Amino acid sequence: MGDSAVAASGGHADALFGLEELRSGPVRTPPDGGAARTAYGPLHRDSPTARRLLSVREIHAEPAAAASPRGREILARFPDARIIDVDSHWRIPELHGNEGNLERWVRVKSEVLVLGEKKTLATRPNGRSADWIAPGPANGCAMACAYCYVPRRKGYANPITVFTNIERIIAHLGRHITRQGPKREPNQCDPSAWVYDIGENGDCSVDALISDNVADLVRLFAHRPTAKASFATKFVNPDLLLLDPRGRTRVRFSVMPPGDSRLLDIRTSPVEQRIAAAADFLEAGYEVHFNLSPVVVRPGWEADWSLLLRHMDDVLPRAVKQQAAAEVIMLTHNRDLHELNLAWHPRAEDALWRPDIQQAKRSENGSWNVRYRNDTKAAAVDTVRALVAAHAPWLRIRYAF
């Protein structure tokens, strides 16, 4: 029995999930709002923890999205929520265009949900974290990381938008995977499989609290021997352990020094819990990687990253270490996001906004971002590589950006 199997059986005192939490699995909530259950008990998404993160009171919905099977399932999950018809999930003036929402930034994320249909289905080449960026099942997030890039495009509110036409997304991806055929040459993404990032604009672990979209994608890739799904997460959702990914979904737990996380990763799972969950997810059939992300350059950052890496080396079992790899992602900020943060979390900007060591750079989508100056960034990347080599030499760095 492996280390994580011992933990799951209750034989390891430090296990993040006991058997009672592992015995719950994704089931569809009936459209009539019935409390569907498995023989193993309730889902984590029905727990008090999940309700604190998502206490939805208002749902803005495109009519077609609300009427779809997935839309009806979601509406049934939140029967007390007020339903507001909208023409487009992207253009909701009272939500995205209301500057007054800045003072309710976190509250809106918790209490508001948007349902829409993803109109344009495109799979874009990437080549860094993944070979391809897939059309994701959602956009936005219930968490409130101060450095998140998604709010730069949405305006003054960034709740989760769930795309209910999941069957079209799955069909699109199935065709794309088939067209690629086998991967003929290894690269930094994966030696043998085409890797598809399914969570570019959100966090799939949180999305799985709302609907079965993520579960449906995991099932798709479980039966595709030439491809893998991949997503980064800062939230530990034990419901995902009951799926059967068969090694075809890569979960990338984002980690940073706990002090940075408490300041910047608002409403996320503690970093220690993300690390502790790695063995459980590996045992459940996921590939488990880590994102050292973002690396924030500030006084004392090197010592704090050393402590984090030593902690990972101390607590992670051999099985996790043998297959783990990491991405190193330096902080990228944005002037508009800086102004937005000043309205709801100005303390974060003391660490994020460093004009003395940052420079402006136009991103691929045409916006102006702020990144560390070339010499500062190069020196910091070298430092992270050296820290990993010294404290977690088993952690292969796939790429640093």
Side-chain angles (χ1 to χ4, degrees):
M1 182 180 289
D3 292 337
S4 54
V6 173
S9 67
H12 194 300
D14 296 327
L16 180 58
F17 304 122
L19 186 61
E20 70 281 359
E21 288 197 79
L22 291 176
R23 285 180 170 176
S24 60
V27 294
R28 296 183 186 277
T29 302
D32 63 359
R37 295 291 185 270
T38 68
Y40 303 116
L43 297 170
H44 180 70
R45 68 188 187 189
D46 295 323
S47 69
T49 299
R51 292 192 191 100
R52 284 193 296 271
L53 186 67
L54 277 167
S55 53
V56 176
R57 300 182 180 181
E58 185 176 289
I59 299 177
H60 299 256
E62 295 175 354
S68 69
R70 185 52 42 89
R72 292 197 303 272
E73 291 173 6
I74 295 170
L75 294 179
R77 282 194 47 72
F78 305 102
D80 297 328
R82 182 166 67 105
I83 313 301
I84 303 170
D85 288 345
V86 296
D87 293 330
S88 169
H89 65 86
W90 267 115
R91 294 184 298 274
I92 307 175
E94 63 270 30
L95 190 63
H96 303 140
N98 181 3
E99 187 172 359
N101 281 327
L102 286 177
E103 298 178 358
R104 304 172 58 247
W105 182 254
V106 173
R107 185 175 175 182
V108 168
K109 285 173 167 290
S110 173
E111 297 182 355
V112 177
L113 191 63
V114 180
L115 303 185
E117 292 187 329
K118 198 168 186 68
K119 308 300 191 297
T120 302
L121 299 180
T123 295
R124 313 188 324 267
N126 179 251
R128 287 178 179 156
S129 177
D131 294 292
W132 306 96
I133 304 296
N139 180 292
C141 191
M143 299 184 293
C145 300
Y147 48 81
C148 179
Y149 60 85
V150 178
R152 301 172 194 167
R153 298 179 60 197
K154 281 191 147 183
Y156 303 113
N158 184 38
I160 295 175
T161 297
V162 179
F163 299 122
T164 61
N165 55 333
I166 186 65
E167 70 288 339
R168 286 195 61 215
I169 295 173
I170 287 173
H172 166 88
L173 283 171
R175 291 190 296 270
H176 194 278
I177 294 168
T178 299
R179 285 198 301 270
Q180 302 315 305
K183 192 174 193 177
R184 302 189 183 281
E185 296 183 4
N187 61 13
Q188 68 179 17
C189 303
D190 194 85
S192 60
W194 296 108
V195 180
Y196 290 74
D197 193 321
I198 62 171
E200 181 190 30
N201 291 318
D203 191 304
C204 288
S205 297
V206 178
D207 297 339
L209 297 174
I210 300 169
S211 79
D212 285 349
N213 277 6
V214 174
D216 289 341
L217 288 170
V218 171
R219 293 186 190 104
L220 166 69
F221 282 91
H223 298 281
R224 295 287 180 160
T226 63
K228 286 180 181 177
S230 178
F231 64 88
T233 184
K234 303 181 188 75
F235 183 76
V236 178
N237 182 353
D239 289 347
L240 297 178
L241 297 174
L242 276 297
L243 303 178
D244 184 21
R246 304 184 184 185
R248 311 313 298 176
T249 293
R250 174 185 295 166
V251 177
R252 297 162 8 240
F253 285 105
S254 293
V255 298
M256 63 168 63
D260 284 347
S261 180
R262 286 190 290 271
L263 175 66
L264 305 173
D265 279 354
I266 310 302
R267 312 189 84 221
T268 64
S269 297
V271 170
E272 296 87 349
Q273 286 189 10
R274 304 176 210 171
I275 295 170
D280 293 324
F281 274 76
L282 181 65
E283 183 74 17
Y286 292 90
E287 184 179 47
V288 178
H289 285 191
F290 297 94
N291 281 7
L292 310 185
S293 167
V295 177
V296 179
V297 175
R298 48 144 182 94
W301 72 272
E302 303 96 327
D304 288 343
W305 275 96
S306 296
L307 290 173
L308 174 67
L309 291 166
R310 288 204 293 269
H311 173 73
M312 294 174 68
D313 188 53
D314 288 342
V315 305
L316 288 172
R318 182 181 297 109
V320 172
K321 294 178 180 180
Q322 287 175 337
Q323 55 84 65
E327 304 169 13
V328 177
I329 305 173
M330 302 299 298
L331 171 71
T332 297
H333 204 24
N334 176 276
R335 179 175 292 277
D336 291 339
L337 182 60
H338 167 65
E339 297 296 332
L340 185 155
N341 285 346
L342 289 176
W344 77 275
H345 189 24
R347 282 189 56 238
E349 291 307 298
D350 294 339
L352 299 177
W353 190 252
R354 295 287 307 278
D356 55 319
I357 58 172
Q358 289 171 328
Q359 62 188 8
K361 184 174 182 179
R362 189 177 292 277
S363 69
E364 293 178 357
N365 64 16
S367 64
W368 282 99
N369 293 334
V370 178
R371 298 174 179 171
Y372 293 121
R373 294 176 182 171
N374 293 342
D375 56 345
T376 300
K377 180 178 178 179
V381 168
D382 288 344
T383 297
V384 173
R385 289 186 181 275
L387 293 175
V388 170
H391 304 301
W394 46 268
L395 186 56
R396 176 174 60 91
I397 295 178
R398 290 201 299 113
Y399 84 98
F401 174 67

